[in-house]
Amino acid sequence: MTAALEATGLTRRFGGLAAVSDVSLALSVGELHAVIGPNGAGKSTLANLLSGELAPSGGAVRLGGQDVTGWPVWRRALGGIGRSFQKANILQELTVLENTRLAAQARGFTPGRWLRRAAREAGPVSEARAALARAGLGPWEDAVATTLSHGQLRLLEIAMALATGPRVLLLDEPLAGVGPEEGERLASLLKELSRDHALLLIEHDMDVVFAVADTLTVMVDGRVLERGPPARIRASAAVRDAYLGHAA
């Protein structure tokens, strides 16, 4: 089966520093693939390379079997990649529905056309509401974003990604700063979304990672240290020494 998103030999250098070095991975629909590692391991840089935020110094990215290495962010998004970031990328003065509707409108984006389209159309409200319902935010569609809890803002960002109709979701630390109750809700949502999306999760909460991930890739110093199912990663002496600690 063709992977929904695949990277081969992906490398990104900043001067003499290789933030990501010769990383290969494949994401498939129905799989939650977590990428873990210490700060500075290259996890977010990897996500940026997959989404098109950064151009690689070497290697290739394929989306549904098609080489998209030279595609910009907007074209990869239209091709089916949804993304969330470490810091919520939300228009705080707009309502929950307005934020999600704008994301849904991006499905019709082409350079120089989207703003004109957004100005004259009511927007695909049904797609936005469907995304909000899936994220559990339907009752808050009229709430202004500034009134939401931190966990709800994380859910809103996921709903905005869903509203673009993605096949692949790249989620960068969606549980950062979230309390236990909201964290459980988010973890359940991530597992549910992985059933019909290829989902890459970057996360530091190891309890969540080991509970929801099907496959883990461990990165250290920009390279893949080890990859496998949670039980193998937890039992790895190399991973314990590099990241998890001997109490893992």
Side-chain angles (χ1 to χ4, degrees):
M1 183 183 298
T2 301
L5 185 67
E6 185 176 10
T8 306
L10 211 53
T11 298
R12 173 66 191 204
R13 298 184 184 87
F14 296 95
L17 172 67
V20 169
S21 183
D22 195 27
V23 172
S24 298
L25 57 77
L27 306 178
S28 300
V29 173
E31 177 191 35
L32 197 158
H33 192 134
V35 178
I36 64 174
N39 291 330
K43 304 182 298 295
S44 293
T45 301
L46 174 62
N48 289 336
L49 292 168
L50 294 173
S51 66
E53 298 281 341
L54 286 173
S57 306
V61 179
R62 286 182 290 276
L63 179 60
Q66 183 174 10
D67 191 333
V68 299
T69 309
W71 287 16
V73 175
W74 66 266
R75 194 174 176 193
R76 294 193 201 189
L78 289 181
I81 296 179
R83 174 80 194 275
S84 75
F85 297 84
Q86 288 182 11
K87 294 184 179 180
N89 191 18
I90 291 167
L91 296 172
Q92 298 283 346
E93 70 277 10
L94 298 185
T95 67
V96 167
L97 180 60
E98 288 168 338
N99 270 285
T100 314
R101 189 197 71 192
L102 286 173
Q105 282 179 315
R107 288 184 181 186
F109 171 90
T110 53
R113 177 175 175 266
W114 184 78
L115 288 177
R116 292 195 298 275
R117 178 176 183 268
R120 69 174 181 266
E121 295 183 8
V125 176
S126 61
E127 289 92 340
R129 284 189 168 134
L132 288 173
R134 189 154 194 197
L137 287 177
W140 288 273
E141 70 170 42
D142 293 323
V144 177
T146 52
T147 66
L148 299 181
S149 69
H150 184 69
Q152 287 174 321
L153 286 173
R154 290 295 186 181
L155 288 169
L156 175 54
E157 193 169 22
I158 292 173
M160 290 167 65
L162 290 173
T164 66
R167 189 167 185 239
V168 178
L169 287 169
L170 310 176
L171 306 181
D172 196 348
E173 297 191 30
L175 283 90
V178 174
E181 184 175 340
E182 289 183 317
E184 288 182 11
R185 189 182 316 154
L186 269 163
S188 296
L189 175 61
L190 296 178
K191 194 63 178 176
E192 177 192 332
L193 292 176
S194 70
R195 294 171 189 162
D196 50 13
H197 295 81
L199 197 156
L200 182 140
L201 172 66
I202 296 172
E203 185 54 58
H204 284 289
D205 188 327
M206 290 299 99
D207 289 336
V208 169
V209 167
F210 281 100
V212 303
D214 300 299
T215 302
L216 280 83
T217 291
V218 184
M219 291 184 66
V220 175
D221 295 330
R223 295 181 175 274
V224 174
L225 175 67
E226 194 156 343
R227 177 177 295 128
R232 184 192 304 169
I233 298 302
R234 192 186 292 274
S236 168
V239 173
R240 287 200 304 271
D241 290 341
Y243 180 51
L244 293 180
H246 290 280

